[in-house]
Amino acid sequence: MKKSKLLIMLLVFAMVFTVALAGCGDDTAEEPNESEDPAAGDDGEEDTDDGEKLAEEQVLRINWNSEPPNLDPQLSQDATSSRILIDTLEGIVRLNAEGIAEEGLGMAETWDLNDDETVYTFHLRDANWTDGEPVTANDFEYSWKRALDPETASTYAFLAYGIKNAEAYNTGEIDNADELGIKVLDEKTLEVTLERPDPTFLSKLQNSTFLPVREDKIEEWGEKYASDVEYMVFNGPFVVSEWEHESQLNLEKNPDYWNADAVKLERVEGVMVTDSNTRMNLYETGEIDWTEVPSQYLEQYKDKLNTYPEASTFYYTFNVENEFFSNQKIRKAFAMAIDRIKIQEARTQGIVPPAWAFVPPGMPGPEGKTFREANGELIKDLGNGATQEEVKALFEEGLEEIGKTAE
């Protein structure tokens, strides 16, 4: 990281922050490929891509915003925990700066895909946990089956439903985990069979739900697992070194990480401040280097912001138990009547585009196109250009169906 402060409106913290921690070469540092050697200056100090020297003290001071509710990967369901988990645990894949799973960046050095694109065979690199134990295919088999076990009640287990029999096992239709399409071939080889070809499967594996845990430590520590520093083991670029609950959580570079030479950042010091005004005051006084920008400060900092696309969509849902909203046409009329552009301009000064549909803008699709570009008219953009007459007509049709009138 450079000596200058870095102000970021963070829209995909889990992914972008991970890239910055793992590479930390410049303000938009890409995660270095294992085979790449960083440039070095005449004085032996490494340069960033734009030729600036790295700061002598590689410490990043940030705001986590809140206490991480759960650092157990299969139980975690919040952004703060995910940010920490992705930087302290190495999944079987890691996404590159373009959001694509690239061979050689994660625990899998390579992987094979069979002809009908339903069987992935992952070949793991030699790597160790922080207690010296090797990372094995069994760690991933155990972790993924644990996520799908109904008793675990993992919130994001559905992300694994592309795996053979995963949904049936998670919903209780079958009770034998051996029927899942997750199989250890040997200590360093994991075979995963899908229900059908799924081009999104690899990218899902970056989600913290798929990060590895140790079966022996789960059994030893039970509910204490991941509750404090002494009940955690790591295989990622950083380790949780200090954790003062509800106050501060610090990370240190993991010297045993397989790609430790590419990790330039030595330490992350993170506070937990929820108040927006306090957060920005900490930034202005230099007590933190990097922060999200609350919506009320966007205009003030609009010339300094770095923005990134967000791989998620936020939305409101209707209570379909309500007499009126039980009708599809009435729900659609309300959805069409909402001016998403105006809402986003008011909340984000026009910086963040409205999603229009469940799949957000910019999500990758086939043949180098975005998902939206590839699917085009198949996506119904509600609220985009609808006239008052169209909304009123649809609303009245819905009322008629439930025996009501607008009067």
Side-chain angles (χ1 to χ4, degrees), residues 254-273:
N254 178 8
D256 299 319
Y257 178 54
W258 69 268
N259 200 18
D261 288 345
V263 180
K264 306 309 174 189
L265 198 60
E266 294 290 339
R267 182 176 172 86
V268 179
E269 298 176 355
V271 295
M272 304 171 189
V273 177

Side-chain angles (χ1 to χ4, degrees), residues 68-85:
N70 200 319
L71 292 182
D72 181 328
Q74 280 74 62
L75 299 180
S76 172
Q77 57 181 329
D78 67 287
T80 299
S81 299
S82 179
R83 287 153 50 184
I84 297 167
L85 285 168

Side-chain angles (χ1 to χ4, degrees), residues 110-313:
T110 61
W111 54 79
D112 306 314
L113 184 58
N114 71 340
D115 290 340
D116 68 2
E117 300 186 350
T118 59
V119 180
Y120 283 87
T121 305
F122 296 96
H123 306 283
L124 274 59
R125 66 177 72 254
D126 290 330
N128 291 329
W129 294 90
T130 45
D131 64 355
E133 290 295 315
V135 179
T136 69
N138 298 81
D139 294 328
F140 287 97
E141 179 196 38
Y142 170 76
S143 302
W144 296 4
K145 287 182 175 180
R146 179 174 181 251
L148 288 165
D149 189 332
E151 293 188 7
T152 304
S154 178
T155 301
Y156 291 106
F158 69 89
L159 290 175
Y161 280 4
I163 298 173
K164 182 180 178 181
N165 288 328
E167 184 173 8
Y169 178 65
N170 185 243
T171 57
E173 292 182 28
I174 62 175
D175 58 10
N176 185 358
D178 291 338
E179 295 183 44
L180 290 168
I182 306 170
K183 183 180 180 181
V184 171
L185 301 185
D186 59 48
E187 189 177 75
K188 294 294 182 181
T189 311
L190 183 72
E191 181 184 88
V192 181
T193 303
L194 306 183
E195 291 279 4
R196 61 190 63 84
D198 181 1
T200 69
F201 174 68
L202 285 176
S203 62
K204 292 175 184 175
L205 299 181
Q206 173 78 0
N207 185 275
S208 57
T209 303
F210 295 93
L211 295 175
V213 295
R214 286 263 297 283
E215 182 176 8
D216 60 329
K217 294 303 181 183
I218 295 287
E219 292 177 349
E220 177 184 352
W221 295 329
E223 293 184 359
K224 291 182 179 180
Y225 182 84
S227 63
D228 221 323
V229 176
E230 60 264 38
Y231 301 117
M232 304 174 77
V233 287
F234 311 96
N235 73 321
F238 293 87
V239 303
V240 178
S241 57
E242 301 165 81
W243 189 355
E244 185 180 340
H245 292 277
E246 305 293 343
S247 178
Q248 182 150 346
L249 185 146
N250 298 333
L251 306 179
E252 298 276 359
K253 177 179 175 178
N254 178 8
D256 299 319
Y257 178 54
W258 69 268
N259 200 18
D261 288 345
V263 180
K264 306 309 174 189
L265 198 60
E266 294 290 339
R267 182 176 172 86
V268 179
E269 298 176 355
V271 295
M272 304 171 189
V273 177
T274 58
D275 180 73
S276 297
N277 295 328
T278 304
R279 181 194 316 169
M280 297 312 297
N281 183 61
L282 289 173
Y283 172 76
E284 285 295 341
T285 58
E287 294 179 62
I288 58 175
D289 305 306
W290 203 71
T291 186
E292 297 178 30
V293 179
S295 58
Q296 65 267 36
Y297 286 92
L298 289 177
E299 179 64 27
Q300 180 180 342
Y301 290 100
K302 64 180 180 181
D303 295 331
K304 298 181 180 180
L305 293 172
N306 292 284
T307 61
Y308 302 87
E310 182 177 23
S312 62
T313 306

Side-chain angles (χ1 to χ4, degrees), residues 332-340 383 386 391:
K332 187 174 181 179
F334 268 77
M336 291 171 64
I338 297 172
D339 191 333
R340 289 161 172 75
V391 172

